[in-house]
Amino acid sequence: GVVPPARHTLCVAMMKYILVTGGVISGIGKGIIASSVGTILKSCGLHVTAIKIDPYINIDAGTFSPYEHGEVFVLDDGGEVDLDLGNYERFLDIRLTRDNNLTTGKIYQSVINKERRGDYLGKTVQVVPHITDAIQEWVVKQAKVPVDVDDVEPQVCVIELGGTVGDIESMPFIEAFRQFQFKVKRENFCNIHVSLIPQPSATGEQKTKPTQNSVRELRGLGLSPDLIMCRCSAALENSVKEKISMFCHVEPEQVICVHDVSSIYRVPLLLENQGVVGYLSRRLNMPIEARPRKMLTKWKEMSDRSDRLLEHCSIALVGKYTKFSDSYASVIKALEHSALAISHKLEVKYIDSAYLEPSTLQEEPVKYHEAWQKLCSADGILVPGGFGVRGTEGKIHAINWARNQKKPFLGVCLGMQLAVCEFARNMLDANSTEFDPDSKHPVVIDMPEHNPGQMGGTMRLGKRRTIFKTNNSVLRKLYGDAEYVDERHRHRFEVNPELKSHFEEMGFRFVGQDVEGERMEVIELDDHPYFVGVQYHPEFTSRPIKPSPPYLGLLLAAAGKLQSYLQKGCRLSPRPAAIIQMNWNSNTLTYSGSSPTGPEI
């Protein structure tokens, strides 16, 4: 008999490594480009993983100020990592672990621990070969760890090297990959170099010299870029492309223009349109079929819909790191995902919480009145997580205003704890021991397992289960009437469970608790359009086509559509062209239809 053909699966024998380096300046967009490369390869049916290398000596990102590197992203396993891993998870819809973020500190710590154990048999331990070998071993080992729901070993590993080529601290990593390209063979390793093409306003001419110098430096260190991705404000002119090709030792097709676009979701499409998939499949010998790719079609529809939105919805983000938007990167993304789901254009009003405090009225009255004007004119109010006493009084004033004026409100982590503090102040002398260690009636207390003597990695971190205690919870309905949810945490303090009954008598309900019933996880206020607080960080698991329910609830309430949504059984009523169904706990999303022009609610 004839053996039936096997169901088509893309066979890639050896792991393929794609190293993304950056030149000229840091913060050029390597993370989005690395994520986009992964996305277009995943759309071809490949299993893709990602590793971020940060050359700083910190063991992890946990103790950084958000002004240093932006927000600290938290993974399922409690890893506190660089925000670029958030981009990888959102773009590729994967779940990473703490070892997907490699730092100089982690590498040196592992090598020093080996040396102390005597693993090097009395040899002199040096940067080459010991540190460089440790880097290569880490990458090879981590690349094999499954990151998809189906637990299949990845076939492609995208590695982003943070910082800029030429930095002293990144030298051991560059040297490690110089050696690595020969160990894994040429057909399994390629280098994408992201560089800046400045366009001075005086001449309006696109300048290639910074890119030439950057590529020369990289080649001098032993790595030759296969693709040069040029970040620029407008599309590259052909003459500029040819000049880069000539001076940087690459074909014109290997020079890719990544100009500014209306939405980051357009970047994968931009790369796809310039033949990046075709080049990588030839360069890395990957048998990719030339067929229409549903995943990219979905991204295009999402981008088009984002550009066509007419209705606006404004959210006041009341925090203390508002001068640097990356401090709240995942929060902003979660708001954008939810706004897109309800077909509204999002406007975020950043408010420094310190400006809402009465002391500012005396010192800087203009800033005080501007801050309150922003707050009062917003459709909804969000108080995100944070640490320390500065600005907390301003956040409490904002929460008080949202509660009394019946404005939709979402408090995340510290925001939830402050909502508890604000409510408690109206009935007893209450505060948080984080800000007032001598409070007589502390409603927010230090957790028993927290070690105040050491800062790094001492919080309650990672994925934890929250059980809903009532059936009539708004948030439970938004989660699809789930009995429990698994969400990521990052906190040192918790709501004092002893005062629970006092609150609930006043209509301030603790509708979600941890598995043991000892920690308060979700709060809701009766007789309010939407007053919700969560101890966890739902923004870390929000996805472009699967928005986080607490944020979706905030946007729906701010747009005046929450009640009709709940009455329809928490479904975004689709137009005939598309049907979107969400199943939160199983992390699955089914989609059918050609052009989701947006839900009607």
Side-chain angles (χ1 to χ4, degrees), residues 10-130:
L10 203 54
C11 178
V12 178
M14 286 284 292
M15 174 69 72
K16 306 295 181 183
Y17 300 93
I18 299 172
L19 175 67
V20 179
T21 54
V24 187
I25 58 170
S26 61
I28 199 172
K30 294 188 299 296
I32 298 296
I33 287 171
S35 303
S36 301
V37 168
T39 300
I40 56 178
L41 291 175
K42 186 167 182 173
S43 74
C44 300
L46 292 161
H47 288 274
V48 183
T49 186
I51 293 173
K52 171 73 195 288
I53 296 175
D54 285 303
Y56 47 67
I57 297 174
N58 304 60
I59 299 295
D60 61 27
T63 55
F64 281 144
S65 155
Y67 283 134
E68 288 281 320
H69 289 268
E71 75 170 3
V72 177
F73 192 81
V74 179
L75 302 170
D76 279 350
D77 65 355
E80 296 173 287
V81 296
D82 187 84
L83 61 83
D84 275 322
L85 275 83
N87 286 324
Y88 305 155
E89 287 206 342
R90 283 186 287 268
F91 271 72
L92 298 167
D93 198 15
I94 54 178
R95 297 288 175 114
L96 300 171
T97 65
R98 67 179 76 231
D99 287 342
N100 286 84
N101 192 193
L102 177 54
T103 70
T104 297
K106 283 182 182 176
I107 284 292
Y108 273 79
Q109 191 179 54
S110 71
V111 170
I112 289 166
N113 288 342
K114 280 184 179 178
E115 187 274 332
R116 291 289 84 188
R117 285 199 308 266
D119 290 8
Y120 296 115
L121 301 172
K123 288 193 176 76
T124 305
V125 180
Q126 296 173 290
V127 173
V128 181
H130 300 103

Side-chain angles (χ1 to χ4, degrees), residues 291-506:
R291 56 190 170 91
R293 296 195 270 282
K294 283 183 186 173
M295 189 172 161
L296 281 186
T297 307
K298 181 181 66 186
W299 280 74
K300 185 174 188 318
E301 287 162 352
M302 193 164 58
S303 305
D304 290 345
R305 188 148 66 87
S306 175
D307 291 345
R308 285 199 303 264
L309 298 176
L310 299 173
E311 291 184 275
H312 285 253
C313 186
S314 62
I315 300 294
L317 193 155
V318 183
K320 60 192 244 189
Y321 311 114
T322 51
K323 291 183 179 70
F324 185 43
S325 62
D326 268 0
S327 303
Y328 299 109
S330 292
V331 169
I332 303 302
K333 291 286 180 288
L335 289 170
E336 286 173 355
H337 301 161
S338 297
L340 189 59
I342 67 165
S343 297
H344 277 60
K345 195 173 272 297
L346 175 72
E347 181 193 355
V348 178
K349 299 185 176 193
Y350 293 97
I351 301 172
D352 188 324
S353 55
Y355 293 161
L356 298 171
E357 296 174 4
S359 58
T360 307
L361 179 57
Q362 309 301 320
E363 296 159 13
E364 297 180 276
V366 174
K367 285 184 176 175
Y368 176 83
H369 290 296
E370 281 176 353
W372 274 102
Q373 195 276 330
K374 275 186 188 175
L375 186 76
C376 297
S377 61
D379 299 316
I381 295 168
L382 170 66
V383 178
F387 294 91
V389 71
R390 183 176 69 81
T392 51
E393 285 303 315
K395 291 176 185 177
I396 286 174
H397 284 297
I399 293 165
N400 178 270
W401 194 85
R403 185 170 64 80
N404 290 326
Q405 300 297 319
K406 301 272 196 273
K407 277 280 181 187
F409 165 78
L410 174 63
V412 174
C413 194
L414 175 65
M416 175 261 209
Q417 294 172 1
L418 291 179
V420 175
C421 288
E422 186 279 325
F423 193 84
R425 281 183 183 184
N426 292 325
M427 57 183 186
L428 50 90
D429 170 28
N431 213 326
S432 164
T433 55
E434 182 173 6
F435 319 123
D436 180 4
D438 303 319
S439 175
K440 290 177 191 166
H441 302 285
V443 292
V444 176
I445 55 172
D446 211 353
M447 284 190 298
E449 65 264 48
H450 167 225
N451 168 16
Q454 188 167 332
M455 296 294 277
T458 58
M459 289 183 276
R460 183 166 176 254
L461 291 161
K463 187 165 80 171
R464 310 284 173 123
R465 181 157 291 181
T466 295
I467 312 283
F468 286 110
K469 296 294 182 184
T470 61
N471 291 323
N472 63 344
S473 154
V474 172
L475 200 56
R476 178 172 179 163
K477 289 174 186 170
L478 287 166
Y479 273 106
D481 203 31
E483 290 179 15
Y484 61 84
V485 290
D486 295 314
E487 293 276 15
R488 298 173 183 180
H489 291 68
R490 183 176 186 247
H491 62 113
R492 281 200 182 93
F493 293 82
E494 62 176 338
V495 173
N496 187 350
E498 291 174 16
L499 299 171
K500 178 172 175 272
S501 58
H502 296 282
F503 285 96
E504 301 208 322
E505 286 165 10
M506 306 284 289

Side-chain angles (χ1 to χ4, degrees), residues 184 197 233 294 366:
V184 298
I197 304 292
S233 51
K294 283 183 186 173
V366 174

Side-chain angles (χ1 to χ4, degrees), residues 137-213:
E137 286 160 16
W138 190 299
V139 167
V140 168
K141 182 182 169 190
Q142 197 56 34
K144 293 176 181 172
V145 176
V147 291
D148 284 305
V149 184
D150 55 10
D151 264 355
V152 174
E153 187 177 303
Q155 300 157 301
V156 180
C157 179
V158 180
I159 305 153
E160 180 195 343
L161 177 56
T164 311
V165 168
D167 295 345
I168 290 174
E169 57 260 39
S170 63
M171 287 299 181
F173 294 100
I174 296 279
E175 172 57 22
F177 286 110
R178 185 195 67 77
Q179 299 168 19
F180 190 66
Q181 64 187 336
F182 301 113
K183 283 186 184 172
V184 298
K185 301 292 184 280
R186 177 178 155 76
E187 66 272 16
N188 299 315
F189 178 90
C190 80
N191 174 214
I192 295 173
H193 188 63
V194 184
S195 186
L196 178 70
I197 304 292
Q199 195 166 0
S201 54
T203 60
E205 188 185 356
Q206 293 177 326
K207 296 292 185 183
T208 64
K209 190 61 73 179
T211 297
Q212 291 177 41
N213 291 338

